[in-house]
Amino acid sequence: MRYVLAVLVEDKPGVLVRVAGLFARRGYNIESLAVGKTVEPMVSRMTIEVEADEKILEQIIKQLYKLVNVLKVSNLTEEPSVDRELVLIKVSADVSNRAEIQQIVETFRAKIVDVALNSIVVEVTGNQEKLEAIIMLLSQYTILEVVRTGKIAILRGSKAIK
Amino acid sequence: MKMSGIQMVVESLRNELVDTIFCSPGGTPGDMVSYLSESDIRLVMYCHEQGASHAADGYARSTGKPGVVFCTSGLGLTSLVTGIATAYADSVPMVVFAGRGMSASSVYDAEVDMDISSITLPSTKHSIVVRSILDLPRSIREAFHLATTGRSGPVVLDLAFNAQTDTGIYRYPKNIDIRGYNPVYNSHQGQVSKAAKVLAKAKKPLIYAGGGIIYSGAHEELRQLAEKFNIPVTTTLMGLSGFPTEHPLALGMLGMHGTYWANMAVNEADVIIAAGARFDDRVTGRKSDFATKATIIHIDIDPAEIGKNICVDIPIVGDVKQVLLQLLQKTGPQDTQSWLSQINAWRSSAPMRYFQDPEGQICPQFVIEQIYEQTKGTALITTEVGQHQMWTAQFYKFNKYRSFMSSGGLGTMGYGFPASLGVQLGCPDDVVFCIAGDGSFQMNIRELATAVRYNLPVKVAVINNQHLGLVRQWQEMFFQSRYSSVVLQSAPDFVKLAEAYGALGLRAETPSEVIPVLQKALSAPGPVVIDFRVKAEENVLPMVPPNCSISEMVMTVE
Ligand SMILES: Cc1cc2nc3c(=O)[nH]c(=O)nc-3n(C[C@H](O)[C@H](O)[C@H](O)COP(=O)(O)OP(=O)(O)OC[C@H]3O[C@@H](n4cnc5c(N)ncnc54)[C@H](O)[C@@H]3O)c2cc1C
Ligand SMILES: Cc1ncc(C[n+]2csc(CCOP(=O)(O)OP(=O)(O)O)c2C)c(N)n1
C-alpha cells in the first residue's frame, strides 16, 4: 500500500541525507518527497510517499524517530487530508496544435506559463489522478519534459501537525 | 573565560570526566595533541586508527564509560570506520573527535580531508559537524549525552578548522535538551502489570537476557528476579557476564552455538522474557519455528527493536533495570521445579564436551577451560572472531560482570587484541586475556608495539589451528570439505614476533605444557603472546545449521 508521511525535521545541514539514507539502506523506495520550511523557524516539513506493507511502515516510522533531527512523524494516510502536487509539462507545440492543447489545459483548470515558437509549458496542480490524466492526454503531442514537485499533504479541519 | 577551540575541547573532556583518550595523531592541527599531552588526561597512542577505535570500545565495554577517540587529521579517519561500525553494531558508547585540516574549511576536496560524518552515517548513532566555535561546547555535551543515554552508541564530532583555532567564551552546559531525542526510561505500567500477570501463570518460564542487561547495569536485578521465582536464564553472546555462568539457574548461551538445553528450553517455554536482547538471527534460527509455544515479553529501550525480527506479545519499552525492579515487586510463577528438572534432563542428555587425549594434540576447549582455572575466573576476556570466540562462549565461565568483550553484531576480526589493551587501560588491576585465532590476531598484530610501549600486561592466547577455522568448518560441513583460502601455513612464528616487538613469547605444543605456560604468562609483568598449537580440524559443536530451527542442532560431524 502507498502511505503518506508528514515528517517534521530540524532544518540543519545533512538532515535530508539522513532521511534518504535510512530509506536507501533498508531498501524502502521513496515514491515522492517534498521538503519545505514551516511557520516555525528552524523546522522543515517533509512529505514522504512510500510503498510498503503495514509492518515495514511501522519500522520506517520507528527508524525515522531514531534520527536525532527528526521531531515528529505523522501518518496522514488514514486521516482525512488534502493532498496536492504541482507539475510543469513542456510540450512541443506550434500554431497547428496550440489551440487544441489550450482546450485540454482549460478543461483541467491548468495554466500555460510559457509560450515559445515550438513549445509551451503547462502548469497543473492537483491530486495524482488529475496529473496522470493530463499527462496522458498531452502525450498525444510530444512531451519534451515533465517536472513534478512530489506530493504535499495537510490534514482537514483545525488539527495541525507541529 | 576566553579560550581557543582546542582548549575548549580539553576543558570539556575534563567536565565529562574523561581520563583516557585513544588516538593516532595526524598533522593538523598539531597543537590539539600537544595541548592534551600537557593536560591530566592520558593520551594513548596507537599504531593504527582501527586499533585506537577498538581499544576505546574495549575500554567502554569493560568500564561502562564512553570510549573517546581522537583523530586529528582527515587522512586517518577512514581507518576508524571499522571500529565505529563495530561499536555501533553492539551499542557501545563512544565519542569520536575528528579534526579537519585548514585546507578543508568546508568543502571536501583537500586530499587529506574526508567527509567523515557521511562516511560513517549508517553506523553512528549521530554525528555533529561543528562549524563555529560558538557551537563547540554545546555540541560536545550533546555528543556525550547521545553516546551514553538510551540505547548507547558511537557519536562522531567533526570539527571544522575554525572551530578548533578561533577563540571564544567558554561555558559548558550542564543539562541538555535535544528536542528530537527523548529516550524512554520509564516503562508503561499497564504493560508491566500485563507481563506480571502472564508470568504469574507460567509453568515453563525462561529469561532470555542480552547485552541490554550489561549496558543498563541490571545484572543484580536479573539475578534477584531469577532467584525469587526460580526462572532459568539463558543469555546471548552479548549477554555473557550479565548472569553468572555457574549459577544453578544459568543455561549458558542460546542460539547457533548455544547449549542444547538452552535451545530446547526456548522451544518448550510457555513464557519468555526477552530482557535487553534483539532476536538476532544467530539466536532465533528459522524464525517461524522460534519459541512457538511461548508468550513473549520483550523489554527493550529501543522501540524500533520491538517487533522488528519477531512478533512479540507484550512489548515493554524502557530501561531493563527499572522494568526488572518492577517485576520483582509483582507475583511470579509458583512452582518451576518440574520445568527445571526437564531442562536438567536435556542437559545431561547432551552435555558440552570434548575429548582431550593427554598424549594427543591440544584441544582448544582445554586451553580455554585452563585460562578460567588458572585465573580463578577473575580475568577480563576479549576475543577475536571465529571458532575460538565460540569456544570461549561455551567453555569459559563468566561469573564476573562486564568480563566479556567480543564483537558480536559485526563480527570484526581484529577487534579482540586492540580491545584488550583498552580493557587493561580501563581496568589496570585486572588480569586481561585476549583469546585470539591465528587469523584474527594478524589483523591488528601491530598493536603489540602499543602493548610494549605502555607496558600493558595483556596475555594473548593464540588458539593456533593454522586455519581460518570457522570458515574451514563451514566448508567442511556445508561445502563437502572443499577447502579454499582457509589454510594459514604462512603465519609468522608468533613467539619470535612477540620477541621482536619486545614482548614475551611462549609456546605450548602438548596438553601437559598448557598449564605451566599459562602460569608463566600470568607471572610475567608485561605483555605476553602464547602460541597454543592446537588440533587443526576441531569443530565448534553443537551447531544450528543455517535456516534450521534452533531445536535442530547438529551434535557431531561425521
Ligand atoms: C561467529 C559468530 C557466531 C555467533 N553465534 C551466536 C550464538 O550462537 N548465540 C548468540 O546469542 N549470539 C551469537 N552471535 C552474536 C550475534 O550475532 C548477536 O551479536 C547477538 O546475538 C546479539 O545479542 P543481543 O540480542 O543481546 O543484542 P545486543 O546487540 O547486545 O543489543 C542489546 C539490545 O538491548 C537493548 N538495550 C540497550 N540498552 C538497554 C537498556 N538500558 N534497557 C533495555 N534495553 C536495552 C538494545 O536496544 C538492543 O536491542 C554470534 C556472532 C558471531 C560473530
Ligand atoms: C574483518 C573480517 N574479515 C572476515 C571475516 C569472516 N570470518 C569470520 S570467522 C573467520 C575465520 C577466523 O579465523 P581465526 O581468527 O584463525 O579463528 P578460528 O576460527 O580459527 O578460531 C573469518 C575469515 C570476519 N569476521 N571479519
Side-chain angles (χ1 to χ4, degrees), chain A residues 3-161:
Chain A
Y3 292 93
V4 179
L5 302 177
V7 185
L8 295 183
V9 299
E10 284 180 292
D11 187 7
K12 285 194 176 161
V15 174
L16 184 59
V17 178
R18 287 177 203 275
V19 172
L22 186 159
F23 280 82
R25 256 192 326 281
R26 291 167 196 269
Y28 312 142
N29 207 10
I30 297 181
E31 300 289 332
S32 89
L33 169 69
V35 195
K37 293 191 183 301
T38 63
V39 283
E40 190 181 345
M42 299 302 291
V43 175
S44 292
R45 174 158 166 165
M46 298 183 175
T47 307
I48 303 175
E49 221 188 334
V50 63
E51 183 71 38
D53 64 28
E54 225 170 285
K55 208 176 156 226
I56 290 180
L57 180 78
E58 187 189 323
Q59 261 304 306
I60 291 177
I61 294 176
K62 285 174 168 176
Q63 293 294 340
L64 280 169
Y65 267 122
K66 275 181 83 162
L67 299 178
V68 172
N69 301 124
V70 168
L71 306 175
K72 185 166 186 166
V73 185
S74 312
N75 179 1
L76 299 186
T77 323
E78 265 110 55
E79 298 196 59
S81 59
V82 182
D83 62 75
R84 289 289 180 272
E85 185 171 6
L86 185 145
V87 60
L88 298 173
I89 310 161
K90 188 176 284 182
V91 188
S92 152
D94 53 31
V95 278
S96 70
N97 56 11
R98 208 172 275 148
E100 268 176 61
I101 294 177
Q102 185 105 34
Q103 264 192 355
I104 298 177
V105 168
E106 270 162 29
T107 327
F108 280 87
R109 298 217 183 106
K111 267 191 280 186
I112 291 176
V113 290
D114 180 64
V115 182
L117 211 52
N118 294 317
S119 68
I120 56 171
V121 174
V122 180
E123 174 197 316
V124 209
T125 310
N127 59 22
Q128 247 150 9
E129 286 116 66
K130 177 172 163 184
L131 303 190
E132 300 299 341
I134 189 167
I135 292 171
M136 200 264 289
L137 281 170
L138 289 176
S139 61
Q140 55 188 312
Y141 313 100
T142 308
I143 293 182
L144 300 171
E145 198 178 339
V146 172
V147 52
R148 305 172 66 148
T149 57
K151 182 183 277 186
I152 56 169
I154 197 162
L155 291 177
R156 288 181 187 277
S158 60
K159 189 170 148 201
I161 293 172

Side-chain angles (χ1 to χ4, degrees), chain B residues 19-20 22 42 55 58-65 378-381 400-403 405 419-433 456-458:
Chain B
D19 57 16
T20 309
F22 300 87
R42 177 172 49 174
Y59 172 92
R61 293 193 210 216
S62 57
T63 62
K65 296 188 276 187
T378 58
L380 305 180
I381 306 288
K400 183 167 154 182
Y401 176 55
R402 284 191 189 275
S403 60
M405 276 59 65
S420 71
L421 304 180
V423 172
Q424 188 76 77
L425 283 159
C427 311
D429 300 330
D430 287 281
V431 173
V432 179
F433 256 91
L456 299 171
V458 165

